[in-house]
Amino acid sequence: MTAADPHADLPVPTRASQSSFSTTHASGIEIPFRTELKAQVPAELSDVLAFYRAELGQRGWQELPEGTTLAADHTLLTFASPKGPGLLTLDRAKGETTVELVLRNKEVAAKANVLPISGQARLVFGYLVPDVASLAINGQVIEIAGGANHPQMLDLPPGTYSYTLLVSGRRVRSDTVTVAAGEAWALHDDRKPSQLY
């Protein structure tokens, strides 16, 4: 397997046919609390897995036994890294191995107030339009002030939740979100939920 690109924040093979990085920041905090790499590599999954085990090991990431899935066409590995939890997902598709590598910075997430209570998941939602909005979820209705973005947060046990966002009594979005312990997700009125942490 080829060497990692030395200029990348997260390791990506130099022969990747496609790669992209994204980061999630909190206002006023320069360091991201979530960094994600997506890539496609024209190599067998087993070779890409060996590459990541070696590269991440050199960076001080420790592979954890819980949550591991190893199959010929799908691999999921969890890690403890010096900055926080890491997750590597590899899949075979169209003769290539797709890579999704996520690093979550626990210390920065705590400063940004997106870290959920232990064993829970956090939903973060706000509203920018002048009208008053409300979120109906898990048997409760939460009022959301309009006119300013003051994100509200709700911690819930892991699971799948249906929710509805109402503006001036009219439904603007109904969707579901599936959350795991330790995750934080943003709820939006114009698109699907997105993982923050």
Side-chain angles (χ1 to χ4, degrees), residues 16-30:
S17 61
Q18 184 178 333
S19 65
S20 64
F21 289 91
S22 63
T23 56
T24 307
H25 293 263
S27 179
I29 301 175
E30 190 175 318

Side-chain angles (χ1 to χ4, degrees), residues 40-148:
Q40 293 178 306
V41 184
E44 292 299 322
L45 189 145
S46 58
D47 294 335
V48 177
L49 176 59
F51 166 84
Y52 276 101
R53 280 181 159 156
E55 285 293 326
L56 295 174
Q58 289 173 12
R59 295 173 187 229
W61 290 42
Q62 295 180 324
E63 196 173 318
L64 302 173
E66 57 270 7
T68 296
T69 302
L70 292 171
D73 60 350
H74 175 75
T75 292
L76 178 67
L77 296 179
T78 58
F79 292 87
S81 84
K83 291 183 179 176
L87 183 67
L88 173 67
T89 307
L90 303 176
D91 286 294
R92 285 297 288 172
K94 299 178 183 171
E96 292 190 312
T97 299
T98 61
V99 177
E100 184 176 352
L101 180 61
V102 175
L103 171 62
R104 298 185 295 166
N105 189 318
K106 193 171 185 175
E107 184 179 314
V108 176
K111 282 183 192 172
N113 197 28
V114 296
L115 204 59
I117 296 168
S118 180
Q120 302 269 303
R122 176 161 287 181
L123 299 180
V124 179
F125 47 94
Y127 200 66
L128 293 171
V129 174
D131 300 330
V132 173
S134 59
L135 176 72
I137 187 169
N138 199 33
Q140 55 189 310
V141 175
I142 300 159
E143 296 296 319
I144 307 168

